[in-house]
Amino acid sequence: MTDLISLVVPFYNEAEAIPYFCATLLPALEAIAGTDWEIICVDDGSTDTTLLQLVALSQADPRFRVIEFSRNFGKEAALTAGIDAARGAAVIPIDADLQDPPELIAQMLAAWRAGAEVVLARRTDRASDGMLKRKTAAWFYRLHNHMSHTKIPENVGDFRLMDRVVVNALKQLPERQRFMKGLFAWVGFRTVTIDYARPPRAAGATKFSGFALWNFALEGFTSFSTAPLKIWTYLGALTALGTVLYALYIVIYTVVFGNKVPGYASLFVAITFFGSVQLISIGLLGEYIGRIYVETKQRPSYLIRKTHGRFDGT
């Protein structure tokens, strides 16, 4: 018997990378015996020729299946759509830029067939990333794992193998705003880790700006921890305490040395104190109410314009 394995590949303006991706991926897959493949390509509203190339691939090779979004919904939505559509006994998300080496898939399958339900690919060398990105990534993992009960493995991206039981568990999670690294970690299951050195991109450029990465990190913090609420509470309390201490200082100074500007002390204390209280309230409520607002609208994470290739047995 052969296992059907699903690869999930998000694409957003990756026209330059597609030829290199196929030329590297397909030989690596064909070298693995006893396995059938489906390659689910999710076009996340690309504006170049990415979709045309993917449709051509699905017409030439029945292993390729293409999901075309109605617009750009983001990588997390693309991963969700691919996982929802996957039919394999195991699912492997992989990036199209070849920084996730397809040669590692054989080792993942070996660990899976030995009993692992999740096989993580951990990057031991991030020399292809800039110094700032490496440092900020390290800070994110450490801070997140200190703040959250759900620990995200450091230097592990979306590239991993998940057994069908793990995929079914993920499909039960109803969040609209999805932080996939956190969801992958939250479901748990028996996990094995494989180390590899991360190569540079084969073609194209990253689609994540510094601001996008910051928002992504904020999504991770607020999705799996209420610690930011507590932090702002403590920060606001410290600010209020500092205001009280400074008020005492002003009172003592005024009694001892006098004050040339009548009313200044009381106005300053009142403004700074109530300003601190307002910051506490905003910090407590803002980000989390925003998340509640988005979730209560219950809009889908993505909309599919069209599918290409063999879906539902067609």
Coordinates of all heavy atoms in Angstrom, one line a residue, residues 145-197:
N145 N 7.2 32.7 24.8 CA 7.2 31.5 25.6 C 7.3 31.8 27.1 O 6.9 31.0 28.0 CB 8.4 30.6 25.2 CG 8.2 30.0 23.9 OD1 7.0 30.0 23.4 ND2 9.2 29.6 23.2
H146 N 7.7 33.0 27.5 CA 7.6 33.4 28.9 C 6.2 33.9 29.3 O 5.7 33.7 30.4 CB 8.6 34.6 29.2 CG 10.0 34.1 29.4 ND1 10.4 33.3 30.5 CD2 11.2 34.4 28.8 CE1 11.7 33.1 30.5 NE2 12.2 33.7 29.4
M147 N 5.5 34.5 28.3 CA 4.2 35.0 28.6 C 3.1 34.0 28.4 O 2.0 34.2 29.0 CB 3.9 36.2 27.6 CG 4.8 37.4 27.9 SD 4.7 38.6 26.6 CE 2.9 38.9 26.5
S148 N 3.2 33.0 27.6 CA 2.1 32.1 27.2 C 2.4 30.7 27.8 O 3.5 30.2 27.9 CB 2.0 32.1 25.7 OG 1.1 31.1 25.3
H149 N 1.2 30.1 28.1 CA 1.3 28.7 28.5 C 1.6 27.8 27.3 O 2.1 26.6 27.4 CB 0.0 28.3 29.2 CG -0.2 28.9 30.5 ND1 0.6 28.8 31.6 CD2 -1.2 29.8 30.8 CE1 0.1 29.5 32.6 NE2 -1.0 30.2 32.2
T150 N 1.2 28.2 26.1 CA 1.5 27.5 24.9 C 2.9 27.8 24.3 O 3.1 28.9 23.9 CB 0.5 27.8 23.8 OG1 -0.9 27.4 24.3 CG2 0.7 27.0 22.5
K151 N 3.8 26.9 24.4 CA 5.2 27.2 24.0 C 5.4 26.9 22.6 O 5.1 25.8 22.1 CB 6.2 26.3 24.9 CG 5.9 26.4 26.4 CD 6.0 27.8 26.9 CE 5.8 27.9 28.4 NZ 5.8 29.2 28.9
I152 N 5.9 27.9 21.9 CA 6.2 27.7 20.4 C 7.7 27.3 20.3 O 8.6 28.0 20.8 CB 6.0 29.0 19.7 CG1 4.5 29.4 19.8 CG2 6.4 28.9 18.2 CD1 4.2 30.7 19.1
P153 N 8.0 26.2 19.6 CA 9.4 25.8 19.5 C 10.2 26.9 18.8 O 9.8 27.4 17.7 CB 9.3 24.5 18.6 CG 7.9 24.0 18.8 CD 7.1 25.3 19.0
E154 N 11.4 27.2 19.3 CA 12.2 28.3 18.8 C 12.8 27.8 17.4 O 13.2 26.7 17.3 CB 13.3 28.6 19.8 CG 14.1 29.9 19.4 CD 14.9 30.4 20.5 OE1 14.8 29.9 21.6 OE2 15.7 31.3 20.2
N155 N 12.8 28.8 16.5 CA 13.4 28.6 15.2 C 12.7 27.5 14.4 O 13.3 26.8 13.5 CB 14.9 28.3 15.2 CG 15.7 29.5 15.7 OD1 15.4 30.6 15.3 ND2 16.7 29.3 16.5
V156 N 11.4 27.3 14.6 CA 10.6 26.3 13.9 C 9.5 27.1 13.2 O 8.7 27.8 13.8 CB 10.0 25.2 14.8 CG1 9.0 24.4 14.0 CG2 11.0 24.4 15.4
G157 N 9.5 27.0 11.9 CA 8.5 27.7 11.1 C 7.3 26.9 10.8 O 6.9 26.0 11.6
D158 N 6.7 27.1 9.6 CA 5.5 26.3 9.3 C 5.9 25.0 8.6 O 5.0 24.1 8.5 CB 4.6 27.1 8.2 CG 4.1 28.4 8.8 OD1 3.7 28.4 10.0 OD2 4.1 29.4 8.1
F159 N 7.1 24.8 8.3 CA 7.6 23.6 7.6 C 7.6 22.4 8.6 O 8.4 22.4 9.6 CB 9.0 23.8 7.0 CG 9.5 22.7 6.2 CD1 8.7 21.9 5.4 CD2 10.8 22.3 6.2 CE1 9.1 20.9 4.6 CE2 11.3 21.3 5.4 CZ 10.5 20.6 4.6
R160 N 6.7 21.5 8.5 CA 6.6 20.4 9.4 C 5.7 19.3 8.8 O 5.0 19.6 7.8 CB 5.9 20.8 10.7 CG 4.5 21.3 10.5 CD 4.0 22.0 11.8 NE 4.7 23.2 12.1 CZ 4.9 23.7 13.3 NH1 4.4 23.0 14.3 NH2 5.6 24.8 13.5
L161 N 5.7 18.1 9.3 CA 4.8 17.1 8.9 C 3.8 16.9 10.0 O 4.1 16.8 11.2 CB 5.5 15.8 8.6 CG 4.6 14.6 8.2 CD1 5.4 13.7 7.2 CD2 4.2 13.7 9.4
M162 N 2.5 16.8 9.6 CA 1.4 16.5 10.6 C 0.6 15.3 10.2 O 0.1 15.2 9.0 CB 0.5 17.8 10.7 CG 1.2 19.0 11.2 SD 0.2 20.5 11.2 CE 0.0 20.8 9.4
D163 N 0.4 14.4 11.1 CA -0.4 13.2 10.9 C -1.9 13.7 10.7 O -2.3 14.8 11.1 CB -0.3 12.3 12.0 CG -1.1 11.0 11.8 OD1 -0.5 10.1 11.2 OD2 -2.2 10.9 12.3
R164 N -2.7 12.8 10.1 CA -4.1 13.2 9.8 C -4.8 13.5 11.1 O -5.7 14.3 11.2 CB -4.8 12.0 9.1 CG -6.3 12.0 9.0 CD -6.8 13.3 8.4 NE -6.3 13.7 7.1 CZ -6.6 14.7 6.4 NH1 -7.5 15.6 7.0 NH2 -6.0 15.0 5.3
V165 N -4.5 12.8 12.2 CA -5.2 13.1 13.5 C -4.9 14.5 14.0 O -5.7 15.2 14.5 CB -4.7 12.1 14.6 CG1 -3.3 12.2 15.0 CG2 -5.6 12.2 15.8
V166 N -3.7 15.0 13.7 CA -3.3 16.4 14.0 C -4.1 17.4 13.1 O -4.6 18.4 13.6 CB -1.8 16.6 13.9 CG1 -1.4 18.0 14.3 CG2 -1.0 15.6 14.7
V167 N -4.2 17.1 11.9 CA -4.9 17.9 10.9 C -6.4 18.0 11.3 O -7.0 19.1 11.3 CB -4.8 17.4 9.5 CG1 -5.7 18.1 8.5 CG2 -3.3 17.4 9.0
N168 N -7.0 16.9 11.7 CA -8.4 16.9 12.1 C -8.6 17.7 13.4 O -9.6 18.4 13.5 CB -8.9 15.5 12.3 CG -9.0 14.7 11.1 OD1 -9.1 15.2 10.0 ND2 -9.0 13.3 11.2
A169 N -7.6 17.7 14.2 CA -7.7 18.5 15.5 C -7.6 20.0 15.1 O -8.4 20.8 15.6 CB -6.5 18.2 16.4
L170 N -6.7 20.4 14.2 CA -6.6 21.8 13.7 C -7.9 22.3 13.1 O -8.3 23.4 13.3 CB -5.4 21.9 12.7 CG -4.0 21.9 13.3 CD1 -3.0 21.8 12.2 CD2 -3.8 23.2 14.1
K171 N -8.5 21.4 12.3 CA -9.8 21.8 11.6 C -10.9 22.0 12.6 O -11.9 22.6 12.2 CB -10.1 20.8 10.6 CG -9.1 20.7 9.4 CD -9.3 19.5 8.5 CE -10.5 19.6 7.7 NZ -10.6 18.5 6.7
Q172 N -10.8 21.6 13.9 CA -11.8 21.9 14.9 C -11.7 23.3 15.5 O -12.6 23.7 16.2 CB -11.7 20.8 16.0 CG -12.0 19.4 15.5 CD -11.9 18.4 16.7 OE1 -12.4 18.7 17.8 NE2 -11.2 17.3 16.4
L173 N -10.6 24.0 15.3 CA -10.3 25.2 15.9 C -11.0 26.3 15.1 O -10.7 26.5 13.9 CB -8.8 25.5 16.0 CG -8.1 24.4 16.7 CD1 -6.6 24.8 16.9 CD2 -8.6 24.1 18.1
P174 N -11.9 27.1 15.7 CA -12.8 28.0 14.9 C -12.3 29.4 14.8 O -13.0 30.3 14.2 CB -14.1 28.0 15.8 CG -13.6 27.9 17.2 CD -12.3 27.0 17.1
E175 N -11.1 29.8 15.3 CA -10.6 31.2 15.2 C -10.6 31.7 13.8 O -10.3 31.0 12.8 CB -9.2 31.3 15.7 CG -9.0 31.1 17.2 CD -8.6 29.7 17.6 OE1 -9.1 28.8 17.0 OE2 -7.9 29.6 18.6
R176 N -11.0 33.0 13.7 CA -11.0 33.7 12.4 C -9.6 34.3 12.2 O -9.0 34.3 11.1 CB -12.0 34.8 12.3 CG -13.3 34.3 11.7 CD -14.1 33.3 12.5 NE -15.3 32.9 11.9 CZ -16.1 32.0 12.4 NH1 -15.8 31.4 13.5 NH2 -17.3 31.7 11.8
Q177 N -9.1 35.0 13.2 CA -7.7 35.5 13.2 C -6.8 34.4 13.7 O -6.7 34.0 14.8 CB -7.6 36.7 14.1 CG -8.2 38.0 13.6 CD -7.9 39.2 14.4 OE1 -8.5 39.3 15.5 NE2 -7.1 40.1 13.9
R178 N -6.0 33.8 12.7 CA -5.3 32.6 13.0 C -3.8 32.9 13.0 O -3.2 33.4 12.1 CB -5.6 31.5 12.0 CG -7.1 31.2 11.9 CD -7.5 30.2 10.9 NE -7.0 28.9 11.1 CZ -7.6 28.0 12.0 NH1 -8.7 28.4 12.6 NH2 -7.2 26.8 12.2
F179 N -3.2 32.5 14.1 CA -1.7 32.5 14.3 C -1.3 31.0 14.2 O -1.4 30.3 15.2 CB -1.3 33.2 15.6 CG 0.1 33.2 15.8 CD1 1.0 33.9 15.0 CD2 0.7 32.5 16.9 CE1 2.4 34.0 15.2 CE2 2.1 32.6 17.1 CZ 2.9 33.3 16.3
M180 N -0.9 30.6 13.0 CA -0.8 29.1 12.8 C 0.3 28.5 13.7 O 0.2 27.4 14.1 CB -0.5 28.9 11.3 CG -1.7 29.3 10.4 SD -3.3 28.5 10.9 CE -2.9 26.8 10.5
K181 N 1.5 29.2 13.9 CA 2.5 28.6 14.7 C 2.0 28.3 16.1 O 2.3 27.3 16.7 CB 3.7 29.6 14.8 CG 4.5 29.7 13.5 CD 5.7 30.6 13.7 CE 6.5 30.7 12.5 NZ 5.8 31.4 11.4
G182 N 1.2 29.2 16.6 CA 0.6 29.0 17.9 C -0.4 27.8 17.9 O -0.5 27.0 18.8
L183 N -1.3 27.8 16.9 CA -2.2 26.7 16.8 C -1.6 25.3 16.6 O -2.0 24.3 17.2 CB -3.2 26.9 15.6 CG -4.1 28.2 15.7 CD1 -4.9 28.3 14.4 CD2 -4.9 28.1 16.9
F184 N -0.5 25.3 15.8 CA 0.3 24.0 15.6 C 0.8 23.6 17.0 O 0.8 22.4 17.3 CB 1.4 24.3 14.7 CG 1.1 24.5 13.3 CD1 1.9 25.2 12.4 CD2 -0.1 23.9 12.7 CE1 1.6 25.4 11.1 CE2 -0.4 24.1 11.4 CZ 0.4 24.9 10.6
A185 N 1.3 24.5 17.8 CA 1.8 24.1 19.1 C 0.7 23.8 20.1 O 0.9 22.9 20.9 CB 2.7 25.3 19.7
W186 N -0.4 24.4 20.0 CA -1.5 24.2 21.0 C -2.1 22.8 20.9 O -2.4 22.2 22.0 CB -2.6 25.3 20.7 CG -3.7 25.2 21.7 CD1 -3.7 25.9 22.9 CD2 -4.9 24.5 21.7 NE1 -4.9 25.6 23.6 CE2 -5.6 24.7 22.9 CE3 -5.4 23.6 20.7 CZ2 -6.9 24.2 23.1 CZ3 -6.7 23.1 21.0 CH2 -7.4 23.3 22.1
V187 N -2.2 22.3 19.7 CA -2.8 20.9 19.6 C -1.9 19.8 20.2 O -2.4 18.8 20.5 CB -3.2 20.6 18.1 CG1 -4.3 21.6 17.6 CG2 -2.0 20.6 17.2
G188 N -0.6 20.0 20.2 CA 0.2 19.0 20.8 C 0.5 17.8 20.0 O 0.9 17.9 18.8
F189 N 0.3 16.6 20.5 CA 0.6 15.3 19.9 C 2.1 14.9 20.0 O 3.0 15.8 20.3 CB 0.1 15.2 18.5 CG -1.4 15.3 18.4 CD1 -2.1 16.5 18.2 CD2 -2.2 14.1 18.6 CE1 -3.5 16.6 18.1 CE2 -3.6 14.2 18.5 CZ -4.2 15.4 18.3
R190 N 2.4 13.7 19.7 CA 3.8 13.2 19.8 C 4.6 13.9 18.8 O 4.3 13.8 17.6 CB 3.8 11.7 19.6 CG 3.2 10.9 20.8 CD 3.6 9.4 20.7 NE 3.2 8.8 19.5 CZ 2.0 8.2 19.4 NH1 1.2 8.1 20.3 NH2 1.7 7.6 18.2
T191 N 5.7 14.5 19.2 CA 6.5 15.3 18.3 C 8.0 14.9 18.3 O 8.6 14.6 19.3 CB 6.4 16.8 18.8 OG1 5.0 17.2 18.8 CG2 7.2 17.7 17.9
V192 N 8.5 15.0 17.1 CA 9.9 14.7 16.8 C 10.5 15.9 16.1 O 9.8 16.5 15.3 CB 10.2 13.4 16.0 CG1 11.6 13.3 15.5 CG2 9.7 12.2 16.8
T193 N 11.7 16.3 16.4 CA 12.4 17.5 15.7 C 13.6 17.1 14.9 O 14.4 16.2 15.3 CB 12.8 18.5 16.8 OG1 11.7 18.9 17.6 CG2 13.4 19.7 16.1
I194 N 13.6 17.6 13.7 CA 14.8 17.4 12.8 C 15.4 18.7 12.5 O 14.8 19.7 12.2 CB 14.3 16.8 11.4 CG1 13.7 15.4 11.7 CG2 15.5 16.7 10.5 CD1 13.1 14.8 10.4
D195 N 16.7 18.8 12.7 CA 17.5 20.0 12.5 C 18.0 20.2 11.1 O 18.3 19.2 10.4 CB 18.7 20.1 13.5 CG 18.2 20.2 14.9 OD1 17.2 20.8 15.2 OD2 19.0 19.7 15.8
Y196 N 18.0 21.4 10.6 CA 18.6 21.7 9.3 C 19.1 23.1 9.2 O 18.7 24.0 10.0 CB 17.5 21.4 8.2 CG 16.5 22.5 8.0 CD1 16.5 23.4 7.0 CD2 15.4 22.5 8.9 CE1 15.5 24.4 6.9 CE2 14.4 23.5 8.8 CZ 14.5 24.4 7.8 OH 13.5 25.4 7.7
A197 N 20.0 23.3 8.2 CA 20.5 24.7 8.0 C 19.6 25.3 6.9 O 19.4 24.7 5.9 CB 22.0 24.6 7.5

